[in-house]
Amino acid sequence: MRKLYASLLLIISSIVAEAQLTVNSLAPNFTVTDLTGETWVLENLLDSGYSVLICLGESANMINDYPSYPNQFNNLYYQLGPDSSQNLMVFFFDTNLNTDNVSLISSGLPSKFDFPTINCDASLLNTFNFSSGTEGYCEIICANGIVKEQISATSPNIYSESFLIGCENATIQNDLGISYCGYFDCFNQIEITIINYGNQTVYNIPIEIIIENDTVFYFLEYIDYSIDELVITNYAEIHLPLQYELNSETAIICRILLNDDNNYNNYYFDLADQNYSSTSHSKLQLINNSDNASLIHFQVQGEFISTSVLVQDIYLNPMQTIEQDIYLMPYDCYNINIIANPDISAHLLSVASDGTLSDVFGIDLLINEDIYPMFSIDEIVAMNLTGLVFDDLTLDGIKDSFEPGIGNIEVHLGNQITYTDANGHYTFPDVNIEDYTELSIVYDETLWPVTTTGSTIPIDNGMMSNFNFGLSNNDPFYLLQSYTSDPWFFCGFDGQLYISVSNEGNMAASGTLTATLDPLLTYAGASPAPLSFVGNTIVWEISTLPVGGNAYFYVDVVAPTFEQMGETMTTTLNILTYDSDGMEVANNTIENSGIINCSYDPNDVTGFPTGETDAHFIQNGTQLEYLVRFQNTGNYQAFDIRVDDQLDSDLDFSTFEFVGSSHACVPVFNTETGFIQFYFNDINLPDSTTNEAGSHGWLRYRISPQTPLAEMTIIENTAYIYFDFNPAVVTNTYVHTISDLYFGLDETTIPTISLYPNPANQTVVCNFNSNRFQSINVIDLSGKIILKESNLSNGQTTISTANLAEGVYIIEALRKDGMTSAHARLVIQH
C-alpha cells in the first residue's frame, strides 16, 4: 500500500514543482474576499500571530475526483485553526479562472469547507506564481511572512502539526510528527508511522494506544510502546496486534510524547471511516449510467504478496452493467483503485455458496480516489476463470488491442479441457481456483513454434493479473477445412445441410466453398446467400476468416418421397484456400453420405462407424466419432443450449478431439471423469413452428476406446440436451460392441472352447479344455441372449441349433463365479 502512496506523491511533486513560491522567501501580501463577503488581508493575519495555510484546487475536482480533500482540510482547520492554540488560518483557493462566484456557490463546494473559500482571479494566481488549474498543493506561510514549506494535499504530514516546525512563531517546537496513526490492516493490527522532522536524533519515545468503543464509551485495550531511537528524516513503523476484534464502532486514540515536558498529543482514528471487510468476495460490478461508452482502468494491489498486482482495462458500453470476476488469494490485504468517468459506479460483491451476490461495502466505491478501500479474502468461492490466447505480433508477451485472438486452441485446467472461441477467449465455469496449480495450452507447435508467455501459467498464492497466452509464428501457413453433419433427409420434408468451415492454419485466410448436392435432392435456398448456384452446385465466397475461426453455411433442400426410402445420397464439398495476396494455396475435397429416413427423432446421438448388425460390432482399437443432433421443437427460440455427455468408462479420455458443430460451440471436458459439456451460448435457435429448417443443430467429436477391451464389451453413449432452463431432452443410447471374433480375428488365441461342426446345422458340440465352466450363453448379433445351457459334463455339451435362424452367433462361456471366461464364433447354415 505504501508503494501506492509514494508513487502518487512523486507524481504530484513533479507537478507542483513547476509553479510555487520559493522556500524561505518573503510571501507577497494579498487582499481577498471570500464567498461569504468577508475580506482577508495577509499582513493583518500575520500581524495577529497567525500562520497561513493556502490549499489549492478546482471546485469540480474537489467534488467529483477528490472528495476526501475537504475532510482532510477541515480536520486540519479544527486541530490547528483559530480555536486551537496553534493560530493557523486555512484558506481554499479555487484555481479555475473560468468559474465565477455564482457557479462556485451552486456547486456546493463552499459548504464542504468550514474555512474561507476564495475564487481566484488571474492577478491573485500571478501574485503567488500559481498556474490556472493548480491543485492538490498547499503553501505554508509562517507568521513572520516567510514561506517555509510546500506540500501536496495527499502528503502524510497533512494529517499532523509537523509542517509548522520551523516557523519561528510556532508554539509547537517538537521534533516528531505522526505520519499516519491508527492505520488498520487486514491482520487485525494497528499500524503507526512516526517521522523525525527535527534536526537531531530522538531517543526513548513513549507511545500510548487506547482502544475504546464509541457507542458505550468503555476501554477495550491499553498498549504501551516506545521507540528507542529515531534519527532525523527517518521514520519508524509500528505494527501492534490487537486482542480485541475491531468493528465500525471502535475508536482508537494514539498518544505520542513530543517533548520532555510530558506533553502528549492525541490522534484519533475511527474504524467507521474505513472501508475494510473480512467478507469473502470475488466480483467487481461496474455500471455505466451514461449514454457514452467508457474505458475503465481497474487495479487491485495486495499489501503483503509482492506479485499480487491485478491491472485490467475494461470497456463498458453505454448503459451497460458487467460483473467482472477478480482472482485473489486468501490471507492478504488488498485495495482497489478505479479510474473512470463520474457516470461509472462500482461495487465490490461477495458471492455466497448459493451464487447470490451482496455488496461488501454497501456503497459505491469511490472513483478516481487516492485513498483506496481495503479488504481481505477469507476464502475463495467458485467463479468463472477466463482468459485468451493471442497472436503476439510484438513478441512482448502482452496482449495489445491490434493483436488478434487465436481460436480452437486447447486449454487445460487440471483435469478439465476447453477450447478458445473465434476471438481467442476461453472460459472454465464455476472454478475454485485454490484447487489448481497451473493453466496450460496444447497447440500445434509446427504452426506456432514460439510462445511468448510460455505454454503454462502457474496459479500460486498470489493474485493473477491475467490468464493470457501469447503465441507467434515465423512461417505463414494458410489452410481452410470444411466439415458437415450427415444430412438430415426425411421423406418429402424440407431439410437442411449444415456445413462449417474452419481456419486450421496460422494466418487469417479467405477462400471459396463449393457444395454439390446429390441429384435426388432439390435445392431450395441457402444461407448466407451464395455467390452463385447452378442446378445442385452452390458456391460461396469466404471472406477473411481469423485463425481458429469458423464460418457456417446452410443449404435448404427438399428430399424425395418414400419411394426412395433407404437410399444413400452423397454431397461433395470442395474448398479452396487463398493467402493474403489472393493466391490459391490449398484445394481440399470431401464427400459425405446420408440415408433417406421416413421417421426420425430430432434429438439423437449416432456413432461412427455405425458397426455391423444391430449390436454395432466393431474391432478393438477402432476410433469412434459421435454425432449429436438436436432440434428446438418448442414454440419459442432457444437463447442458450447446453449438451451434456457422460462418456463410457471404456473410452480413452485422453484421445478426445472436438471436430465441429453447426453453430459456435465451446466444449468443457473433464479428462478424469469423462464428463463433457458443450455450450452453445447465444445460439438463438428458432423453434420448428417458426423456422423448421433453421431449428436444427449438431456437434461432432472423436474418441478412441481403451485397448485391448474384452470380447463383447459394450460402449454406450447418451446425450442430454438442455434448451435454456428447461429439463433435459434425453437422446437415444447408441451402443457399440467390441468383438474381434465377429470379424474372424484371433480365434486361435482362445483355446478354451472348440465347436464342431462349425458351420452347424441341427446340433453343435462345444468342447472345453477346463472344468471351470458353469454355463454357456448363445448370443445373436443384436447382443441378445437367445439360449442358455448349464448342463456341462466331461468338458463338453451339445446344443440344438435346429430352431436357430441362419447367421453368426457368439458362444459365451461363464465360470462358476459368473464371470465370462471365453468366447467362440458360431455360424449356422440350414
Side-chain angles (χ1 to χ4, degrees), residues 476-480 507-511 544 576-586:
F477 178 70
Y478 299 84
L479 180 64
L480 301 181
M507 300 291 292
S510 56
T544 302
L576 303 178
T577 304
Y578 307 128
D579 64 14
S580 57
D581 296 324
M583 300 295 294
E584 181 183 324
V585 293

Side-chain angles (χ1 to χ4, degrees), residues 391-635:
D391 188 352
D392 193 356
L393 302 176
T394 59
L395 301 176
D396 60 0
I398 300 173
K399 171 67 171 68
D400 296 306
S401 59
F402 57 85
E403 293 175 329
I406 303 174
N408 202 34
I409 297 294
E410 186 176 308
V411 187
H412 290 239
L413 176 67
N415 54 19
Q416 296 191 73
I417 296 176
T418 191
Y419 295 81
T420 57
D421 64 16
N423 296 315
H425 293 98
Y426 67 89
T427 298
F428 289 100
D430 299 326
V431 169
N432 187 335
I433 201 169
E434 286 184 303
D435 294 339
Y436 302 95
T437 59
E438 65 180 26
L439 273 164
S440 61
I441 54 175
V442 176
Y443 57 96
D444 188 341
E445 295 185 16
T446 62
L447 295 178
W448 305 100
V450 178
T451 170
T452 59
T453 58
S455 59
T456 299
I457 295 178
I459 300 175
D460 53 24
N461 287 328
M463 172 176 27
M464 300 306 302
S465 59
N466 67 70
F467 298 102
N468 298 340
F469 294 90
L471 299 177
S472 183
N473 72 80
N474 48 25
D475 186 13
F477 178 70
Y478 299 84
L479 180 64
L480 301 181
Q481 294 280 31
S482 59
Y483 300 93
T484 182
S485 69
D486 284 336
W488 288 358
F489 300 136
F490 310 109
C491 301
F493 283 91
D494 294 343
Q496 198 164 53
L497 176 69
Y498 294 81
I499 305 169
S500 65
V501 174
S502 175
N503 185 346
E504 299 185 2
N506 60 20
M507 300 291 292
S510 56
T512 301
L513 172 66
T514 302
T516 303
L517 305 180
D518 190 279
L520 290 176
L521 295 175
T522 302
Y523 171 75
S527 177
L531 182 66
S532 66
F533 65 90
V534 177
N536 274 16
T537 299
I538 309 102
V539 179
W540 291 273
E541 183 177 359
I542 302 173
S543 58
T544 302
L545 197 61
V547 176
N550 293 277
Y552 301 97
F553 304 87
Y554 310 95
V555 182
D556 297 322
V557 297
V558 177
T561 57
F562 67 91
E563 289 87 351
Q564 281 76 37
M565 180 178 62
E567 290 195 30
T568 299
M569 294 177 298
T570 300
T571 297
T572 302
L573 301 177
N574 174 262
I575 187 163
L576 303 178
T577 304
Y578 307 128
D579 64 14
S580 57
D581 296 324
M583 300 295 294
E584 181 183 324
V585 293
N587 186 332
N588 294 298
T589 300
I590 66 168
E591 291 185 347
N592 198 44
S593 299
I595 297 174
I596 297 179
N597 301 299
C598 284
S599 64
Y600 74 103
D601 181 350
N603 301 282
D604 64 5
V605 58
T606 306
F608 301 93
T610 56
E612 300 292 332
T613 78
D614 292 340
H616 307 297
F617 284 114
I618 59 173
Q619 298 175 23
N620 256 306
T622 302
Q623 185 185 53
L624 299 176
E625 183 170 315
Y626 288 104
L627 167 68
V628 179
R629 305 186 293 189
F630 52 84
Q631 182 184 20
N632 178 9
T633 57
N635 59 7

